[in-house]
Amino acid sequence: MGDLLEQPHHTGSPAHVATPAGRAVVAPRLGDRVVVRVEVPHAAAVDTVHVRTSPDTEPAYAPARRLLRGAAVDVWEAEVEVVNPATRYRFLLDGGGGQRWLTQVGMAANEVTDSSDFALVATPPPPSWVADSVLYQVFPDRFARSAASVDWPDWAEPAGWDEPVAAAPPSSMRQLYGGDLRGVTEHLDHLEDLGVTGIYLNPLFPATENHRYCATDFTTVDPLLGGDAALAELSAALHDRGMQVVGDLTLNHSGDGHSWYRAALRDPAGVEAGFYLWRDHPGGVAQAWADVPTLPKFDHRSAELRRRLYDGFDSVAASWLGEPFSLDGWRVDAANVAGRSGAIDLNAQIQRQLLATMHDARGGDAYLLAEHCHDATGDLQGEGWHGTMDYLGFTRAAWSWLGDPAGAGDSLGMPVPLARRGGAAVARGLELVRGQVPWRSVVHSVSLLGSHDTARWATVAGDPGRRDVGLAWLLTFPGVPSIFYGDEIALPGESSVPARLPMPWHRRESWDHATLAWTRRLVRLRRRSAALRHGGLRWVHQADDQLVYLREHPDERMLVQLTRASVDPLRLDASLLQLAPGVGAAAELGHPPLTVTAAEVRLPGADGPVARVWRLPPAPYVAPASLDA
């Protein structure tokens, strides 16, 4: 592989794209003429640049003009008209270096398909607050318990806050610690001090297991959590602090104790029997998620199910977005399998109808996040989910590069241990996954190091240095960072169930305060940096034990260096970075600043895992300007 900085480069971010005045790059409209720019180093030997689009699937070409001839990098500019809801484009480069395509997955001297083209998406955009967010995931039973008395249900196995988590079923599903929503409200100072901008709550509906994904009723908050009043109070308190709250809705299944399912069993000819998929006959044996009999699977061919659950103003999905609860969006559990069973595939219809309902309820200000633990690229093309929980496009990469082979036994669903890979292989995997979806879907997907479904990051990483590097990666990479409660104090957990520890509020001496301070510092860095929240991504250096990348925005650039082991100093060509001699680069995390000489930028070596971030001036060329500005 040649020098990454000698490769032509373009992203769908504001560094290289501009829509008409007043519209974000993630929100173009049909008929807009959009400015796109591509950086072409002289080393690539390019003489002409064309932009190739495919309006109505028919290829079309337009010449680009050379906007700037730099010391080592030229900038070319072209226009793309937004003809279709997803308008795709790529660049054709020709010259002494040969004829090549530039797509989202890099340069190719061979023919390519449209699947990795850049894309301008003209469907209604996600809420503007999402890309600026840092979310914090709360598992309600384990986060905090208020002084309210608990009326334990018959199925529960009550536990004291310091008792160990039961790891084996059925106790692992029945053990209740009594955490509630007023407990969350009482600890919002901690979240505000951490710097997060909102919370994602695991399910709140009544259920017969502690995870509450087996809902028995979608119309009320579980009384164990404080009921409807407690959610209204929490939502109001969060909004008073300028924070958002995202709920968790299951569209794939209910619990077997749900009133709809009980009605279906009682009356196989009734309307509710049509709400479920059956292995034999209505009212018999239901299909179930992952063959778990307590989770009967919905049949979305039922118009009445759709009306009650997510289609229309009176649906479950709409009701919780309005007063007094005012949820700011939904994370949809098991989103990849909802509406899919054998020859039945209504998943795209579910996405469209739910989006329309949420738009009508909140005027486009509600976030729709999908749980998809695998390849979500086909569902992220701009017409449905705003984003996904990006296990494939971030979590697996972080675990593969930074995970301790002797650490957690969690392989993220694989039958063998997750491979430990070098930096170049990990980065290429990220390019191939993220290169299949529009930039808009990348920056509105949630990046995470762990969740209630995985081992804890502190256990996966093992070494405290690698743990800190992972947190830095999370908070400096494209996507919406999500922190699982307790990861900021390095709570352990070797798999999903043991990872659901009660938050030790009363034992603060047990907290890893260095990790807390590091997380707080990274969150604040992200929140004050336009480049880290909205900037494009450019890989600068990839080696087994080191990754270096730029986050680029018209206002600034951030240079990020991550190592997992000892590395030597790294010399980068200053002209390819478009840095003038003598320009300083301010250090953001307490390490020394960089100094640019006439020829190079020298990044320091490392004796082990380290994360460094430097703020660079913006590229010297003028940022893309609106045609009608």
Side-chain angles (χ1 to χ4, degrees), residues 258-482:
H258 198 284
S259 59
W260 298 345
Y261 187 66
R262 307 314 297 176
L265 294 179
R266 287 193 304 271
D267 183 4
V271 64
E272 286 85 0
F275 290 8
Y276 295 91
L277 293 164
W278 303 95
R279 293 189 181 278
D280 45 10
H281 55 79
V285 179
Q287 290 188 29
W289 176 81
D291 292 328
V292 178
T294 56
L295 303 176
K297 188 172 171 66
F298 287 132
D299 186 347
H300 290 268
R301 292 174 296 182
S302 167
E304 180 62 15
L305 170 69
R306 299 195 301 269
R307 187 193 68 78
R308 292 192 198 180
L309 194 54
Y310 58 88
D311 187 10
F313 191 77
D314 293 329
S315 65
V316 168
S319 65
W320 295 97
L321 300 178
E323 296 287 350
F325 311 108
S326 301
L327 296 184
D328 296 292
W330 287 112
R331 178 263 195 188
V332 176
D333 177 60
N336 57 309
V337 294
R340 288 175 170 145
S341 178
I344 303 169
D345 190 347
L346 300 176
N347 191 270
Q349 175 183 303
I350 292 171
Q351 296 179 49
R352 290 192 300 269
Q353 290 180 327
L354 177 56
L355 264 180
T357 294
M358 293 172 66
H359 189 277
D360 290 344
R362 288 289 294 268
D365 195 40
Y367 179 38
L368 182 55
L369 175 67
E371 183 203 23
H372 199 314
C373 301
H374 319 290
D375 180 5
T377 57
D379 292 330
L380 293 175
Q381 298 305 314
E383 296 183 349
W385 318 121
H386 291 144
T388 186
M389 298 183 75
D390 213 352
Y391 289 99
L392 184 61
F394 184 79
T395 313
R396 287 179 176 273
W399 285 31
S400 290
W401 194 55
L402 293 170
D404 182 353
D410 190 342
S411 298
L412 295 175
M414 295 177 61
V416 294
L418 198 65
R420 183 170 169 82
R421 296 186 172 95
V426 163
R428 185 57 178 164
L430 289 170
E431 288 177 335
L432 291 173
V433 172
R434 292 179 168 217
Q436 304 300 314
V437 299
W439 176 253
R440 187 175 91 175
S441 296
V442 170
V443 296
H444 292 95
S445 289
V446 165
S447 299
L448 62 164
L449 292 166
S451 73
H452 67 290
D453 282 328
T454 73
R456 286 274 181 181
W457 174 239
T459 301
V460 172
D463 176 75
R466 290 196 302 269
R467 180 185 67 215
D468 288 353
V469 169
L471 288 165
W473 195 358
L474 174 73
L475 286 152
T476 60
F477 214 61
V480 179
S482 177

Side-chain angles (χ1 to χ4, degrees), residues 5 19 63 69 102 136 173 180 318 344 418-419 431 482 510 524 533 546 610 623:
L5 289 174
T19 50
R69 187 183 296 274
L102 175 61
Y136 187 90
M173 299 294 103
D180 57 22
I344 303 169
L418 198 65
E431 288 177 335
S482 177
S510 70
R524 291 178 178 176
R533 298 192 316 277
Q546 182 171 208
V610 70

Side-chain angles (χ1 to χ4, degrees), residues 49-53 60-64 78-80:
V49 177
H50 288 78
V51 63
R52 180 218 188 251
T53 56
Y61 295 84
E79 295 174 10
V80 173

